[in-house]
Amino acid sequence: NLNLHTPPRADMRRPASFQSAAPLTRYHPLQLVLIFISIIASARGFRPPTGFGTTTTFLSTPCSSGLSSTLCRPDIMMHLRRSRPIEERVRLFAEIRRGGDQQCDHKHQILQRKQKTQLQAQISDSDEESSSSSSLTEILLIVLPLLLIYISNQWSRYSISYLVDFGTSSSISPYEAMNVDLSFTQSQYGLLASTAFTVLFAISSLFAGNLADRYDRKLLTLGSCAVWTLATLATSQAHSYNEVLAARVIMGGACAFAVPAAYTLIAEKVSKDKLALSNSIYGSGVYLGGALSSLSLLLDESVGWRGTLGAIGAFGVISAATAGLLLPADGDRAAKRAEE
């Protein structure tokens, strides 16, 4: 029968030397094994257990990217095994944990910088795409209608130079030559080609810029195009020199209002990075209109001078209609100036 209340034998009692040993020797060997296992488990990311009346408190789950690789170093593991007080082991583990957290923070910052760089690159690409699409829209909606009107302006202005023939050949037909059909001389033609057009054109130019600054430039452009188109059509139906002269004077006054309004519209409605390109495209209307004027000789041979002027007038109607549909409204600007 085992008497549980029997005191232990003398040979089973702890020796005095064991009781006075270092603090770590107060623990049972099994307790030391469990403490070491708890340290390794905490390094692996598990919550350390508590046992045999000894509570070991560790920080929360460490960062695996920096701490595990640090604890696996042989010198660190040997130092943990040889360090005797539990307080020193906890302190060393906390230092290792802080070092791992710093490594994690550094890697996290690098990752954030990379993500930020990628996001900025995507935003920049999207901005470039939207900028290119908006630039194409500006050219199609603003520059192209104004270019068509400018071509009509130049074509109507210079076409008369290719619809006359002052040769001495008897084969010149009044169907093809305006001067033969209307019976006017070279000096009269000089008046039509220069003075009749340029005098009122020069006077109108003095007021065109001021009107473009004050009033709706879209309506000003469409109105001037309508007037010189009507003058061209009236010339095609003229039966005397004086009718042609009056139509040329009216045309000269109307053609002066197109260019100032067009350049200010482009400068205001087109983005700055496409402004030079837009101005160059619009300026090419001078040469395109001049080229079409020289090609009026081919139309003259086919449909005669009246038919040629009718085709030029039809092109003016198409240009004005296109500009009326595509050009942006300019009435808000006029309203603001009226308020001021």
Side-chain angles (χ1 to χ4, degrees):
N1 295 328
L2 179 63
N3 189 1
L4 298 177
H5 301 284
T6 304
R9 294 183 304 181
D11 55 352
M12 295 180 61
R13 294 177 181 176
R14 295 180 179 178
S17 59
F18 183 83
Q19 296 177 359
S20 62
L24 194 60
T25 59
R26 292 199 302 263
Y27 297 96
H28 192 275
L30 183 58
Q31 289 179 314
L32 296 178
V33 171
L34 290 177
I35 291 173
F36 180 76
I37 291 175
S38 67
I39 294 175
I40 299 301
S42 178
R44 293 293 182 180
F46 300 98
R47 189 177 183 85
T50 304
F52 295 96
T54 302
T55 303
T56 307
T57 305
F58 296 93
L59 298 174
S60 59
T61 304
C63 176
S64 58
S65 62
L67 185 58
S68 299
S69 60
T70 306
L71 284 175
C72 291
R73 290 171 47 186
D75 54 343
I76 298 297
M77 296 300 294
M78 185 63 66
H79 185 70
L80 284 174
R81 293 170 184 171
R82 292 180 180 178
S83 59
R84 297 173 67 84
I86 187 66
E87 294 82 0
E88 184 178 354
R89 280 182 286 173
V90 174
R91 178 185 58 78
L92 182 59
F93 182 79
E95 293 178 356
I96 296 173
R97 170 65 186 271
R98 285 194 297 271
D101 290 342
Q102 291 177 358
Q103 293 181 5
C104 289
D105 293 340
H106 181 65
K107 292 182 178 179
H108 184 63
Q109 292 175 0
I110 294 176
L111 181 60
Q112 284 184 340
R113 285 196 295 267
K114 289 183 179 179
Q115 292 176 351
K116 185 177 180 180
T117 303
Q118 293 176 356
L119 181 60
Q120 290 177 350
Q122 293 176 358
I123 294 175
S124 177
D125 294 339
S126 62
D127 290 342
E128 290 179 357
E129 293 177 358
S130 62
S131 176
S132 60
S133 61
S134 63
S135 300
L136 180 61
T137 304
E138 291 172 350
I139 292 175
L140 291 177
L141 297 182
I142 299 175
V143 182
L144 180 60
L146 294 176
L147 175 63
L148 292 177
I149 288 182
Y150 201 18
I151 291 174
S152 173
N153 185 320
Q154 299 298 311
W155 195 3
S156 301
R157 180 187 306 185
Y158 295 113
S159 59
I160 192 175
S161 301
Y162 300 93
L163 300 179
V164 295
D165 190 352
F166 293 97
T168 57
S169 176
S170 60
S171 62
I172 300 175
S173 170
Y175 179 76
E176 299 179 2
M178 179 191 301
N179 61 304
V180 177
D181 192 7
L182 300 180
S183 301
F184 58 83
T185 63
Q186 292 188 16
S187 59
Q188 290 176 319
Y189 165 74
L191 180 63
L192 290 176
S194 59
T195 307
F197 181 89
T198 57
V199 169
L200 191 56
F201 180 87
I203 296 174
S204 299
S205 298
L206 299 176
F207 303 97
N210 189 23
L211 293 177
D213 290 334
R214 291 178 175 272
Y215 300 104
D216 193 328
R217 291 165 295 184
K218 179 179 178 179
L219 294 180
L220 189 63
T221 301
L222 296 178
S224 61
C225 181
V227 171
W228 78 61
T229 299
L230 291 176
T232 303
L233 294 175
T235 304
S236 68
Q237 302 300 320
H239 295 283
S240 66
Y241 173 79
N242 291 331
E243 293 178 359
V244 177
L245 180 64
R248 287 290 292 178
V249 172
I250 295 173
M251 182 184 298
C255 288
F257 292 92
V259 176
Y263 275 117
T264 53
L265 274 174
I266 293 174
E268 185 174 316
K269 303 294 184 179
V270 178
S271 57
K272 300 299 182 182
D273 56 336
K274 299 297 180 182
L275 185 57
L277 176 62
S278 300
N279 286 328
S280 63
I281 292 175
Y282 177 74
S284 65
V286 175
Y287 309 102
L288 294 175
L292 290 175
S293 298
S294 62
L295 292 177
S296 298
L297 289 171
L298 301 178
L299 286 175
D300 188 23
E301 294 176 358
S302 301
V303 297
W305 70 271
R306 296 183 184 273
T308 301
L309 291 176
I312 297 172
F315 181 81
V317 172
I318 295 173
S319 301
T322 303
L325 292 175
L326 298 182
L327 280 179
D330 198 35
D332 54 348
R333 173 175 171 270
K336 289 180 181 180
R337 288 193 173 274
E339 292 177 359
E340 292 177 356

